[in-house]
Coordinates of all heavy atoms in Angstrom, one line a residue:
A353 N 102.6 65.9 89.6 CA 103.7 66.3 88.7 C 105.0 66.5 89.3 O 106.0 66.8 88.6 CB 103.2 67.6 88.0
S354 N 105.1 66.4 90.6 CA 106.4 66.8 91.3 C 107.5 65.7 91.1 O 107.2 64.5 91.4 CB 106.2 66.9 92.8 OG 105.2 67.9 93.1
E355 N 108.6 66.1 90.5 CA 109.7 65.2 90.4 C 111.0 66.0 90.7 O 111.0 67.3 90.8 CB 109.8 64.6 89.0 CG 108.6 63.8 88.6 CD 108.4 62.5 89.4 OE1 109.4 62.1 90.1 OE2 107.3 61.9 89.3
Y356 N 112.1 65.3 90.9 CA 113.3 66.0 91.3 C 113.9 66.9 90.2 O 114.3 68.0 90.5 CB 114.3 64.9 91.7 CG 115.3 65.4 92.8 CD1 114.9 65.4 94.1 CD2 116.5 65.9 92.5 CE1 115.8 65.8 95.1 CE2 117.4 66.3 93.4 CZ 117.0 66.3 94.8 OH 117.9 66.7 95.8
S357 N 113.8 66.4 89.0 CA 114.5 67.2 87.9 C 113.7 68.4 87.5 O 114.3 69.5 87.3 CB 114.7 66.2 86.7 OG 113.5 65.7 86.2
N358 N 112.4 68.3 87.4 CA 111.6 69.4 86.9 C 111.6 70.6 87.9 O 111.7 71.7 87.6 CB 110.2 69.0 86.5 CG 109.3 68.6 87.6 OD1 109.8 68.1 88.6 ND2 108.0 68.7 87.4
Y359 N 111.5 70.2 89.2 CA 111.4 71.3 90.2 C 112.7 71.8 90.7 O 112.8 73.0 91.1 CB 110.5 70.9 91.4 CG 109.0 71.0 91.0 CD1 108.1 70.2 91.6 CD2 108.6 71.8 90.0 CE1 106.7 70.2 91.3 CE2 107.3 71.9 89.6 CZ 106.4 71.1 90.2 OH 105.0 71.2 89.9
N360 N 113.8 71.1 90.5 CA 115.1 71.7 90.6 C 115.4 72.5 89.4 O 116.0 73.6 89.5 CB 116.2 70.6 90.8 CG 116.5 70.3 92.2 OD1 117.4 70.9 92.9 ND2 115.8 69.3 92.8
G361 N 114.8 72.1 88.3 CA 114.9 72.9 87.0 C 114.2 74.2 87.2 O 114.7 75.3 86.8
S362 N 113.0 74.2 87.8 CA 112.2 75.5 88.0 C 113.0 76.4 88.9 O 113.1 77.6 88.6 CB 110.9 75.2 88.6 OG 110.0 74.6 87.7
L363 N 113.7 75.9 89.9 CA 114.4 76.7 90.8 C 115.6 77.4 90.1 O 115.8 78.6 90.2 CB 114.9 75.9 92.0 CG 115.5 76.6 93.2 CD1 115.2 75.9 94.5 CD2 117.0 76.8 93.1
M364 N 116.4 76.6 89.3 CA 117.5 77.2 88.7 C 117.1 78.2 87.6 O 117.8 79.2 87.3 CB 118.6 76.2 88.3 CG 118.1 75.2 87.2 SD 119.5 74.1 86.8 CE 118.6 72.7 86.1
F365 N 116.0 77.9 86.9 CA 115.6 78.8 85.8 C 115.1 80.1 86.4 O 115.5 81.2 85.9 CB 114.5 78.1 85.0 CG 113.8 78.9 84.0 CD1 114.6 79.6 83.0 CD2 112.4 79.1 84.0 CE1 113.9 80.4 82.1 CE2 111.8 79.9 83.0 CZ 112.6 80.6 82.1
H366 N 114.2 80.1 87.3 CA 113.7 81.3 87.9 C 114.7 82.1 88.6 O 114.7 83.3 88.7 CB 112.4 81.0 88.7 CG 111.3 80.5 87.9 ND1 110.8 81.2 86.8 CD2 110.5 79.4 88.0 CE1 109.8 80.5 86.2 NE2 109.6 79.4 87.0
L367 N 115.7 81.4 89.3 CA 116.7 82.1 90.0 C 117.6 82.8 88.9 O 118.2 83.9 89.2 CB 117.5 81.1 90.8 CG 118.6 81.8 91.7 CD1 118.0 82.9 92.6 CD2 119.3 80.7 92.6
S368 N 117.8 82.1 87.8 CA 118.6 82.8 86.7 C 117.9 84.0 86.2 O 118.5 85.1 86.0 CB 118.8 81.8 85.6 OG 119.6 80.6 86.0
E369 N 116.6 83.9 86.1 CA 115.8 85.1 85.6 C 115.9 86.2 86.7 O 116.0 87.4 86.3 CB 114.3 84.7 85.5 CG 114.1 83.8 84.3 CD 112.6 83.6 84.1 OE1 111.9 83.1 85.0 OE2 112.0 84.0 83.0
A370 N 115.9 85.9 88.0 CA 116.1 86.9 89.0 C 117.4 87.5 88.9 O 117.6 88.7 89.1 CB 115.9 86.2 90.4
Y371 N 118.5 86.7 88.6 CA 119.8 87.3 88.4 C 119.8 88.3 87.3 O 120.4 89.4 87.5 CB 120.8 86.2 88.2 CG 122.2 86.7 87.8 CD1 123.0 87.2 88.8 CD2 122.6 86.8 86.5 CE1 124.3 87.7 88.5 CE2 123.9 87.3 86.2 CZ 124.7 87.8 87.2 OH 125.9 88.3 86.8
H372 N 119.2 88.0 86.2 CA 119.1 89.0 85.1 C 118.3 90.2 85.4 O 118.6 91.3 85.0 CB 118.6 88.3 83.9 CG 119.4 87.2 83.3 ND1 120.7 87.5 82.8 CD2 119.3 85.9 83.2 CE1 121.3 86.3 82.4 NE2 120.4 85.4 82.6
A373 N 117.2 90.0 86.2 CA 116.3 91.1 86.6 C 117.0 92.1 87.5 O 116.7 93.3 87.5 CB 115.1 90.6 87.2
R374 N 117.9 91.6 88.3 CA 118.6 92.4 89.4 C 119.7 93.2 88.7 O 120.8 92.8 88.6 CB 119.1 91.5 90.5 CG 119.7 92.3 91.6 CD 120.1 91.4 92.8 NE 120.8 92.1 93.8 CZ 121.3 91.5 94.9 NH1 121.1 90.3 95.1 NH2 122.0 92.3 95.7
Q375 N 119.4 94.5 88.4 CA 120.3 95.3 87.6 C 120.9 96.4 88.5 O 122.0 97.0 88.1 CB 119.6 96.0 86.5 CG 119.1 95.0 85.4 CD 120.2 94.3 84.7 OE1 121.1 95.0 84.2 NE2 120.2 93.0 84.6
S376 N 120.3 96.7 89.6 CA 120.8 97.9 90.4 C 121.1 97.6 91.8 O 120.6 96.6 92.4 CB 119.6 99.0 90.4 OG 119.2 99.2 89.1
A377 N 122.0 98.4 92.4 CA 122.3 98.3 93.8 C 121.2 99.1 94.5 O 121.1 100.4 94.3 CB 123.6 98.9 94.1
I378 N 120.4 98.5 95.3 CA 119.2 99.1 96.0 C 119.4 98.8 97.5 O 119.5 97.7 97.9 CB 117.9 98.5 95.5 CG1 117.7 98.8 94.0 CG2 116.7 99.0 96.3 CD1 116.5 98.1 93.3
A379 N 119.4 99.9 98.2 CA 119.5 99.7 99.7 C 118.2 99.1 100.2 O 117.1 99.5 99.9 CB 119.7 101.1 100.3
E380 N 118.4 98.1 101.1 CA 117.3 97.3 101.6 C 116.5 98.2 102.7 O 117.1 99.0 103.4 CB 117.8 96.1 102.4 CG 118.4 95.1 101.5 CD 119.1 94.0 102.2 OE1 118.5 93.3 103.1 OE2 120.3 93.8 102.0
R381 N 115.2 98.0 102.7 CA 114.3 98.6 103.7 C 113.6 97.4 104.4 O 113.3 96.4 103.7 CB 113.3 99.6 103.1 CG 114.0 100.8 102.4 CD 114.5 101.8 103.4 NE 114.9 103.0 102.8 CZ 116.1 103.3 102.2 NH1 117.0 102.3 102.3 NH2 116.4 104.4 101.7
P382 N 113.2 97.5 105.6 CA 112.4 96.5 106.2 C 111.2 96.1 105.3 O 110.4 97.0 104.9 CB 112.0 97.0 107.6 CG 113.0 98.0 107.9 CD 113.4 98.7 106.6
A383 N 111.0 94.8 105.1 CA 109.8 94.4 104.4 C 108.5 94.5 105.2 O 108.6 94.4 106.5 CB 110.0 92.9 103.9
P384 N 107.4 94.7 104.6 CA 106.1 94.8 105.4 C 105.9 93.6 106.3 O 105.4 93.8 107.4 CB 105.0 94.9 104.3 CG 105.7 95.5 103.2 CD 107.1 95.0 103.2
A385 N 106.4 92.4 105.9 CA 106.2 91.3 106.8 C 107.1 91.4 108.1 O 106.8 90.7 109.0 CB 106.5 90.0 106.0
E386 N 108.1 92.2 108.0 CA 109.0 92.4 109.2 C 108.4 93.5 110.1 O 108.8 93.6 111.3 CB 110.4 92.7 108.8 CG 111.1 91.6 108.0 CD 112.4 92.0 107.5 OE1 112.5 92.9 106.6 OE2 113.4 91.5 108.0
V387 N 107.6 94.4 109.5 CA 107.1 95.6 110.2 C 105.7 95.3 110.9 O 105.5 95.5 112.0 CB 107.0 96.8 109.3 CG1 106.3 98.0 110.0 CG2 108.3 97.2 108.8
G388 N 104.9 94.6 110.1 CA 103.5 94.3 110.6 C 102.5 95.4 110.5 O 102.8 96.5 109.8
G389 N 101.4 95.3 111.1 CA 100.4 96.3 111.1 C 99.3 96.0 110.0 O 98.8 96.9 109.4
Y390 N 98.9 94.7 109.9 CA 97.8 94.4 109.0 C 97.0 93.2 109.4 O 97.6 92.3 110.1 CB 98.3 94.3 107.6 CG 99.5 93.4 107.3 CD1 99.3 92.0 107.1 CD2 100.7 93.9 107.4 CE1 100.4 91.2 106.8 CE2 101.8 93.1 107.1 CZ 101.7 91.7 106.9 OH 102.8 90.9 106.6
A391 N 95.8 93.1 109.0 CA 94.9 91.9 109.3 C 93.8 91.9 108.3 O 93.0 92.8 108.3 CB 94.4 92.0 110.7
F392 N 93.8 90.9 107.4 CA 92.8 90.9 106.3 C 92.6 89.5 105.9 O 93.4 88.6 106.0 CB 93.2 91.8 105.2 CG 94.5 91.5 104.5 CD1 94.6 90.5 103.6 CD2 95.6 92.1 105.0 CE1 95.8 90.2 103.0 CE2 96.9 91.8 104.4 CZ 97.0 90.9 103.4
A393 N 91.4 89.2 105.2 CA 91.1 87.9 104.7 C 91.0 88.1 103.1 O 90.5 89.1 102.6 CB 89.8 87.4 105.2
L394 N 91.5 87.1 102.4 CA 91.4 87.1 101.0 C 90.0 86.6 100.6 O 89.2 86.3 101.4 CB 92.5 86.2 100.4 CG 93.9 86.6 100.6 CD1 94.9 85.6 99.9 CD2 94.2 88.0 100.1
D395 N 89.7 86.6 99.3 CA 88.4 86.2 98.9 C 88.1 84.7 99.2 O 89.0 84.0 99.5 CB 88.2 86.5 97.4 CG 89.2 85.7 96.5 OD1 89.0 84.4 96.5 OD2 90.0 86.2 95.8
D396 N 86.9 84.3 99.0 CA 86.4 83.0 99.5 C 87.1 81.9 98.7 O 87.1 80.7 99.1 CB 84.9 82.9 99.4 CG 84.4 81.6 100.0 OD1 84.7 81.4 101.2 OD2 83.8 80.8 99.3
Q397 N 87.6 82.1 97.5 CA 88.2 81.1 96.7 C 89.6 80.7 97.4 O 89.9 79.5 97.4 CB 88.5 81.5 95.3 CG 87.2 81.6 94.4 CD 87.5 82.0 93.0 OE1 88.1 81.3 92.3 NE2 87.0 83.2 92.6
F398 N 90.3 81.7 97.9 CA 91.5 81.4 98.7 C 91.2 81.0 100.1 O 91.8 80.2 100.7 CB 92.4 82.6 98.6 CG 93.1 82.8 97.3 CD1 92.8 84.0 96.6 CD2 93.9 81.9 96.7 CE1 93.4 84.2 95.3 CE2 94.5 82.1 95.5 CZ 94.3 83.3 94.8
A399 N 90.2 81.7 100.7 CA 89.6 81.3 102.0 C 90.7 81.3 103.1 O 90.8 80.3 103.8 CB 88.9 80.0 101.9
T400 N 91.5 82.3 103.1 CA 92.6 82.4 104.2 C 92.8 83.8 104.6 O 92.4 84.8 103.9 CB 93.9 81.8 103.6 OG1 94.8 81.6 104.7 CG2 94.5 82.7 102.6
A401 N 93.3 84.0 105.8 CA 93.4 85.3 106.4 C 94.9 85.5 106.9 O 95.5 84.5 107.3 CB 92.4 85.6 107.5
F402 N 95.3 86.7 107.0 CA 96.7 87.0 107.4 C 96.6 88.2 108.5 O 95.8 89.1 108.3 CB 97.6 87.5 106.3 CG 97.8 86.4 105.2 CD1 96.8 86.3 104.2 CD2 98.9 85.6 105.2 CE1 97.0 85.3 103.2 CE2 99.0 84.6 104.2 CZ 98.1 84.5 103.2
A403 N 97.4 88.0 109.5 CA 97.5 89.1 110.5 C 99.0 89.2 110.9 O 99.6 88.1 111.1 CB 96.6 88.9 111.7
N404 N 99.4 90.4 111.2 CA 100.9 90.6 111.5 C 101.0 91.8 112.4 O 100.6 92.9 112.1 CB 101.7 90.8 110.2 CG 103.2 90.8 110.4 OD1 103.7 91.4 111.4 ND2 103.9 90.1 109.5
A405 N 101.7 91.5 113.6 CA 102.0 92.6 114.5 C 103.5 92.5 114.8 O 104.0 91.5 115.3 CB 101.2 92.5 115.8
G406 N 104.3 93.5 114.4 CA 105.7 93.6 114.7 C 106.5 92.4 114.0 O 107.5 92.1 114.5
G407 N 106.0 91.9 112.9 CA 106.6 90.8 112.3 C 106.1 89.4 112.7 O 106.4 88.4 112.0
M408 N 105.3 89.4 113.8 CA 104.7 88.1 114.2 C 103.5 87.9 113.2 O 102.5 88.5 113.3 CB 104.2 88.1 115.6 CG 103.6 86.8 116.1 SD 104.7 85.5 116.3 CE 105.4 86.0 117.9
L409 N 103.7 86.9 112.3 CA 102.6 86.7 111.3 C 101.8 85.4 111.7 O 102.4 84.4 112.0 CB 103.2 86.5 109.9 CG 102.2 86.3 108.8 CD1 102.5 87.1 107.6 CD2 102.2 84.8 108.4
V410 N 100.5 85.5 111.5 CA 99.6 84.4 111.7 C 98.8 84.2 110.4 O 98.3 85.2 109.9 CB 98.6 84.7 112.9 CG1 97.6 83.6 113.0 CG2 99.4 84.9 114.2
Q411 N 98.8 83.0 109.9 CA 97.9 82.7 108.8 C 96.9 81.7 109.2 O 97.2 80.7 109.8 CB 98.7 82.1 107.6 CG 97.8 81.9 106.4 CD 98.6 81.3 105.2 OE1 99.8 81.3 105.1 NE2 97.8 81.0 104.1
A412 N 95.6 82.0 108.9 CA 94.5 81.1 109.3 C 93.6 80.8 108.1 O 93.3 81.7 107.3 CB 93.6 81.8 110.4
N413 N 93.3 79.5 108.0 CA 92.5 79.1 106.9 C 91.0 79.0 107.3 O 90.7 78.5 108.3 CB 92.9 77.7 106.4 CG 94.3 77.7 105.8 OD1 94.8 78.7 105.3 ND2 95.0 76.5 105.8

Side-chain angles (χ1 to χ4, degrees):
S354 302
E355 299 295 346
Y356 210 82
S357 60
N358 66 334
Y359 282 154
N360 269 272
S362 289
L363 190 148
M364 63 178 155
F365 172 53
H366 293 307
L367 186 55
S368 298
E369 290 184 302
Y371 173 78
H372 293 298
R374 186 175 169 180
Q375 296 292 310
S376 309
I378 297 172
E380 297 168 56
R381 299 286 190 271
E386 298 176 293
V387 175
Y390 50 90
F392 56 86
L394 299 181
D395 64 65
D396 187 59
Q397 291 182 63
F398 289 115
T400 193
F402 299 84
N404 187 318
M408 180 73 78
L409 180 135
V410 176
Q411 183 179 353
N413 294 336

